[in-house]
Amino acid sequence: MYVDSHCHLSFPELASRIDEIRAAMAKADVDRALCICTTLEEFPEVHALAMRYDNFWASAGVHPDSEGVREPMLDDLVAMAAKPRVVAIGETGLDYYRLAGRSVQDMAWQRERFRVHIRAAIATGLPLVVHTRSASQDTLAILREEGAAAAGGVFHCFTETMDVARAALDLGFFISFSGILTFRNATELQDVARFVPLDRCLIETDSPYLAPVPHRGRLNNPSYVALVARHLAMLKGCPLETVAETSSANFERLFSRAK
């Protein structure tokens, strides 16, 4: 019924609890999940989850915040994308939130990494999973410069402005909402959720982070994506079943290998 379009089940907080998590997912009618890769070193674990369980899929990429790791080359990403049950390139993008004394100019390495991922997505025909934080204008500019509309993708865990949402939609991207949508102080994001057409919405947990209300502050897991769906349905004034069916169909439309 529900699909968690973005979770990190290979992270230590969740990797040792897969059986428990899968049982909770089944109880909450969450029947599929996309396991997201954040480093090349992590990819074998992420991919193993997708190979072991027939309702899990994997992505291939290096998170913009990942430093001191192996830098992805185009050939690396293309090779990983060719493996079975890999359905997306990313998580990739830009993050200027934690500059640690550096300037935006100093983050050229991050921008080049992002470009490599976009080129891999175009080369493989797989969609991008885009992370952007405090860097939306550069993120959008690079997507346009690299012709990322040819690959498409999703702005995951969306927390940006209405203008950024419009720009992402204009590029043909989907918008994914996480547990942040349920937070009382997320009024601007809730306005964005009302605005984004339902046929361009995905839902996610980004677990183990960002558990939705009433679990805020606790360990998150994919079963909680049903709570995100419930809040999105409330904001849009439509039946919960409509959000479940449409977001699942959107997942299949974007990640076309995940069928």
Side-chain angles (χ1 to χ4, degrees), residues 10 37 39-51 80:
S10 60
C37 180
T39 66
L40 298 184
E41 292 86 348
E42 178 197 18
F43 177 76
E45 298 169 51
V46 176
H47 188 239
L49 285 167
M51 294 299 290
M80 290 189 292

Side-chain angles (χ1 to χ4, degrees), residues 10-54:
S10 60
F11 282 16
E13 303 95 316
L14 300 180
S16 62
R17 303 172 57 195
I18 295 298
D19 289 345
E20 175 188 342
I21 288 166
R22 287 177 56 79
M25 288 172 64
K27 187 175 181 180
D29 292 323
V30 180
D31 52 21
R32 289 170 287 176
L34 176 52
C35 302
I36 299 295
C37 180
T38 63
T39 66
L40 298 184
E41 292 86 348
E42 178 197 18
F43 177 76
E45 298 169 51
V46 176
H47 188 239
L49 285 167
M51 294 299 290
R52 182 176 178 184
Y53 301 106
D54 64 5

Side-chain angles (χ1 to χ4, degrees), residues 179-180 182-183 208-220 224:
I180 295 173
T182 71
F183 296 176
Y209 312 115
L210 303 173
V213 174
H215 306 290
R216 185 176 182 180
R218 302 174 194 163
L219 191 69
N220 201 3
Y224 292 163

Side-chain angles (χ1 to χ4, degrees), residues 19 43 45 58 115-116 121 146 175 188-189 199 207 217 257:
D19 289 345
F43 177 76
E45 298 169 51
R115 291 181 188 276
V116 169
E146 293 290 335
I175 304 290
E188 291 184 11
L189 179 61
D199 67 359
S207 50
R257 286 191 189 176

Side-chain angles (χ1 to χ4, degrees), residues 14 24 33 78 84 125 127 146 160 167 179 185 195 199 217 221 235 251 257-258:
L14 300 180
V78 170
E146 293 290 335
E160 300 295 330
N185 61 348
F195 163 76
D199 67 359
N221 76 79
L235 291 169
F251 179 87
R257 286 191 189 176

Side-chain angles (χ1 to χ4, degrees), residues 121-122 126-130 143 147-154 171-174 254:
I122 293 170
L126 294 185
L128 289 156
V129 177
V130 175
L143 288 169
V154 57
L171 282 168
F173 278 65
F174 288 73
L254 179 60

Side-chain angles (χ1 to χ4, degrees), residues 38 98 108 139:
T38 63
R98 297 184 183 89
T139 299

Side-chain angles (χ1 to χ4, degrees), residues 4 12 21 39 52 62 82 98 102 104 130 142 161 165 196 201 227 230 236 249:
D4 184 354
I21 288 166
T39 66
R52 182 176 178 184
V62 180
R98 297 184 183 89
R102 295 170 293 190
V104 169
V130 175
I142 290 173
T161 65
V196 176
C201 290
L227 298 172
R230 185 172 294 119
K236 289 192 168 295

